């Protein structure tokens, strides 16, 4: 009983001097050999506060238990790695440096958001948006038809279309009689071209939309929707691809060839037979030549004229 009173008195003295401010807690040995603290074996009415007890250190100093303070939720390196991997597909050497991982994740997310905002500002697959004709280059103008390269300005000089290979855009024009007509066109300019995009148009006498487009003057507007899938290409979907293209058909083939040659992880081999007629696009000829030189294993291009084909037949 005396030891009990001593424990209670010591406890009250400690609490009166600051109450659990990190001081020592006295321990005593009971008759049964139990090592306890002043928290043991006292009446609840002696204290109005709720105690959580103490831990005894087996003869050493005991520390008062306090209510655990849970840390605020934070983004871990593993979470950042997973997030970046989802957007970039690769994440190497970042686990040891949290700040670098955090900065990288922030930059990746900003780039993704910027791309989404840019895509929403430039093209929409749900509505036709206006684009201004910036320039028109006539490639061929014979008695039967006219082939032209039309360049349309994007809203900002840093904007790009970034159209995936095998996709096209839809152009809407309003005819003089008020009729609304739609036609699909493949974009001939590279997907990362900034500030504008280009299409090739072959104007036929009986072609409503092609005649309208070739007759446009600089500053006039057309309405474009896209991009839409025609032949969506995926990396290594085929081991080898054989292509036969003539005239404007080279544009859709060129989209896929660019994608294969630019992707080091794509090992697809392409063989292109390109038949040219009364017109030649010097930009396409030069690009095919450079792509074949830079990728001799992936790409093989054979160019023939219509006259040669007719002779062979």
């Amino acid at each position: 009983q005396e030891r009990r009173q001593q424990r209670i008195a010591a406890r009250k003295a400690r609490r009166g001097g600051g109450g659990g401010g990190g001081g020592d807690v006295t321990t005593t040995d009971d008759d049964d050999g139990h090592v306890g603290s002043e928290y043991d074996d006292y009446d609840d009415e002696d204290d109005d506060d709720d105690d959580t007890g103490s831990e005894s250190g087996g003869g050493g100093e005991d520390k008062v238990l306090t209510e655990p303070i849970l840390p605020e939720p934070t983004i871990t390196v593993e979470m950042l790695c997973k997030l970046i991997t989802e957007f970039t597909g690769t994440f190497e050497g970042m686990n040891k440096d949290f700040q670098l991982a955090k900065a990288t994740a922030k930059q990746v997310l900003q780039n993704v958001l910027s791309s989404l905002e840019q895509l929403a500002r430039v093209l929409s697959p749900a509505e036709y948006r206006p684009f201004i004709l910036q320039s028109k280059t006539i490639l061929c103008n014979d008695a039967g038809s006219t082939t032209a390269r039309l360049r349309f300005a994007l809203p900002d000089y840093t904007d790009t279309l970034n159209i995936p290979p095998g996709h096209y855009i839809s152009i809407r024009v309003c005819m003089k009689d008020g009729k609304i007509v739609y036609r699909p066109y493949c974009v001939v300019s590279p997907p990362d071209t900034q500030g504008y995009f280009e299409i090739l148009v072959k104007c036929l006498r009986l072609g409503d939309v092609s005649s309208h487009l070739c007759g446009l003057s600089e500053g006039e507007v057309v309405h474009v929707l896209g991009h839409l899938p025609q032949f969506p290409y995926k990396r290594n979907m085929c081991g080898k691809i054989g292509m036969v293209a003539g005239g404007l058909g080279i544009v859709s083939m060129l989209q896929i060839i660019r994608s294969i040659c630019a992707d080091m992880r794509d090992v697809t081999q392409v063989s292109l037979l390109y038949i040219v007629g009364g017109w030649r696009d010097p930009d396409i000829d030069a690009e095919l030549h450079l792509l074949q030189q830079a990728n001799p294993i992936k790409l093989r291009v054979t160019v023939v004229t219509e006259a040669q084909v007719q002779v062979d037949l």
Side-chain angles (χ1 to χ4, degrees):
Q1 182 67 23
E2 184 178 354
R3 290 197 301 271
R4 178 175 177 274
Q5 294 297 333
Q6 290 176 354
R7 291 197 302 271
I8 295 175
R11 178 177 172 277
K12 289 184 177 180
R14 181 184 59 76
R15 289 207 169 182
D24 295 336
V25 179
T26 58
T27 61
T28 57
D29 293 336
D30 292 337
D31 294 336
D32 57 1
H34 170 68
V35 179
S37 69
E38 71 270 27
Y39 288 94
D40 297 331
D41 193 22
Y42 70 91
D43 296 332
D44 292 341
E45 60 268 16
D46 290 335
D47 183 23
D48 294 332
D49 298 332
D50 294 328
D51 289 321
T52 58
S54 65
E55 293 180 341
S56 97
E61 294 182 348
D62 294 340
K63 295 184 179 180
V64 178
L65 287 179
T66 59
E67 182 178 356
I69 301 176
L70 298 178
E72 295 182 358
T74 57
I75 298 178
T76 64
V77 175
E78 290 75 19
M79 294 170 61
L80 290 172
C81 293
K82 182 178 179 181
L83 185 61
I84 293 177
T85 301
E86 291 178 355
F87 285 105
T88 64
T90 57
F91 189 83
E92 300 176 354
M94 290 294 197
N95 290 327
K96 296 182 179 180
D97 192 336
F98 176 81
Q99 294 299 328
L100 181 59
K102 183 178 179 181
T104 303
K106 183 178 180 180
Q107 185 62 45
V108 169
L109 292 176
Q110 287 177 345
N111 292 341
V112 171
L113 291 176
S114 177
S115 298
L116 292 175
E117 291 175 356
Q118 175 180 296
L119 182 60
R121 181 175 68 250
V122 177
L123 278 180
S124 169
E127 65 175 352
Y128 284 84
R129 295 181 174 177
F131 292 88
I132 299 175
L133 179 64
Q134 194 175 71
S135 65
K136 178 172 61 175
T137 303
I138 303 299
L139 301 176
C140 174
N141 189 6
D142 55 29
S145 64
T146 299
T147 303
R149 179 184 282 254
L150 306 182
R151 175 178 295 185
F152 295 93
L154 296 177
D156 189 84
Y157 72 95
T158 61
D159 287 340
T160 61
L161 284 188
N162 285 324
I163 293 182
H167 286 63
Y168 67 93
I169 60 175
S170 176
I171 294 181
R172 183 187 71 186
V173 298
C174 181
M175 309 305 295
K176 294 181 179 180
D177 57 2
K179 182 174 64 174
I180 304 297
V181 186
Y182 311 85
R183 291 291 186 275
Y185 284 92
C186 289
V187 177
V188 67
S189 52
D192 56 351
T193 302
Q194 292 186 333
Y196 66 88
F197 70 92
E198 295 178 330
I199 62 172
L200 291 179
V201 179
K202 186 174 184 179
C203 175
L204 301 175
R205 291 181 178 179
L206 300 179
D208 294 338
V209 176
S210 61
S211 298
H212 178 86
L213 292 176
C214 288
L216 290 175
S217 301
E218 294 182 8
E220 294 193 79
V221 174
V222 297
H223 291 79
V224 180
L225 176 145
H227 49 80
L228 303 172
Q230 179 186 30
F231 179 75
Y233 176 78
K234 295 182 180 180
R235 179 191 303 126
N236 295 320
M237 63 184 300
C238 300
K240 295 182 179 180
I241 298 178
M243 297 180 176
V244 179
L248 299 185
I250 188 61
V251 179
S252 57
M253 303 297 180
L254 185 58
Q255 286 183 340
I256 298 175
I257 292 174
R258 284 172 178 154
S259 176
I260 293 174
C261 292
D263 190 349
M264 295 184 63
R265 292 178 292 177
D266 197 331
V267 296
T268 305
Q269 295 181 356
V270 178
S271 178
L272 170 66
L273 176 61
Y274 181 27
I275 305 171
V276 297
W279 65 275
R280 300 285 295 269
D281 188 320
D283 292 337
I284 292 179
D285 291 347
E287 185 174 2
L288 286 174
H289 179 69
L290 292 176
L291 288 174
Q292 183 175 225
Q293 280 189 329
N295 303 272
I297 298 178
K298 286 186 176 182
L299 179 62
R300 184 178 64 182
V301 179
T302 302
V303 181
V304 298
T305 64
E306 289 182 347
Q308 291 175 319
V309 173
Q310 291 173 357
V311 169
D312 292 341
L313 291 178

